Amino acid sequence: MSGETEPTDESKAGTSTPPTPGTRRPGGRTARTRAAVRDAVLTGLTEHGYPGLTIEYVAEHSGVHKTTLYRRWGGVDGLVADALDLAGEDTWLPPDTGSLAGDLRALAHEVVDSFADPGAAASGSAMIAAAFQSERAAGALRAYYAERFARCEVIVARAVGRGELPVAEGAVIDAGALIRSVSAPVFFRLFITREPVGGALADQSAAAALAAARAGAFTTG
């Protein structure tokens, strides 16, 4: 796929079936094209929101002909979904501080810090806003965070291995629920009550999640 030639005129539209966004993992020129399109989508969402994002805008800012955009992504929904899919292809790993308390606190601070940066906050907020207006974008956002939370489940596995979270025979800890509880208060303030967030909230969120885990709130069976 890396040597794929992009069409340069409208006559080449519809010559192949558009792939499902995110199903390709090519390198080379195609990867660079996809990254340029993703950056243009994020910029457009940040500047104009989902209702104002157009194929023409993405074509102009990515340098990719709109015929190619329609052929490969189908439309604005596909572009937004693939931008989220591409964002989840990084090499990020959850913190490993040596203790559950430290890991949860570090994770909470990462969430807060990511929205403290104006650029990152703007694009992240725009993606979340788009999910309220496009079911396809909502599905992509759910998949993105599900994958992120799945990466973090190792934090709970390590804690159980160290004996920090005793588990009775036959019982299971819902690692995903525990991890979600760390970031939930932060997202609530960011997107529901529109309150400022900071280090104090990160510490409080991590401490509350840890206390709940030790009390068995996430243990079933």
Side-chain angles (χ1 to χ4, degrees):
M1 294 293 183
S2 60
E4 180 180 3
T5 301
E6 305 296 350
T8 56
D9 57 69
E10 296 293 333
S11 65
K12 297 181 182 177
T15 58
S16 63
T17 302
T20 301
T23 57
R24 294 179 176 177
R25 295 294 184 272
R29 181 183 175 189
T30 301
R32 292 192 296 272
T33 296
R34 190 176 175 214
V37 169
R38 185 274 312 271
D39 291 344
V41 170
L42 292 178
T43 301
L45 284 174
T46 301
E47 292 181 353
H48 304 292
Y50 179 79
L53 182 66
T54 64
I55 290 288
E56 288 74 18
Y57 177 96
V58 177
E60 178 183 353
H61 288 77
S62 67
V64 179
H65 198 281
K66 65 180 182 180
T67 299
T68 303
L69 297 177
Y70 279 117
R71 179 175 63 83
R72 290 180 57 185
W73 284 275
V76 170
D77 275 5
L79 288 167
V80 173
D82 193 51
L84 273 166
D85 186 70
L86 186 57
E89 293 179 17
D90 59 23
T91 58
W92 178 85
L93 293 174
D96 185 2
T97 65
S99 72
L100 179 60
D103 288 350
L104 296 182
R105 187 164 55 250
L107 189 62
H109 276 271
E110 280 194 32
V111 176
V112 168
D113 291 346
S114 68
F115 283 94
D117 176 79
S123 60
S125 299
M127 279 293 194
I128 292 172
F132 282 91
Q133 300 172 72
S134 163
E135 183 52 41
R136 193 169 181 183
L141 188 69
R142 285 193 295 272
Y144 170 80
Y145 276 109
E147 195 275 339
R148 269 293 193 270
F149 290 129
R151 291 192 205 184
C152 293
E153 290 182 5
V154 67
I155 290 176
V156 180
R158 290 195 300 250
V160 172
R162 290 190 294 257
E164 294 177 271
L165 290 176
V167 183
E169 184 176 355
V172 176
I173 296 178
D174 187 340
L178 197 169
I179 296 301
R180 282 173 169 80
S181 72
V182 176
S183 56
V186 178
F187 281 104
F188 182 85
R189 291 198 186 192
L190 283 169
F191 299 108
I192 304 300
T193 61
R194 305 295 293 170
E195 298 175 76
V197 299
L201 176 62
D203 290 339
Q204 184 185 68
S205 299
L210 179 63
R214 287 173 172 169
F218 305 107
T219 303
T220 60

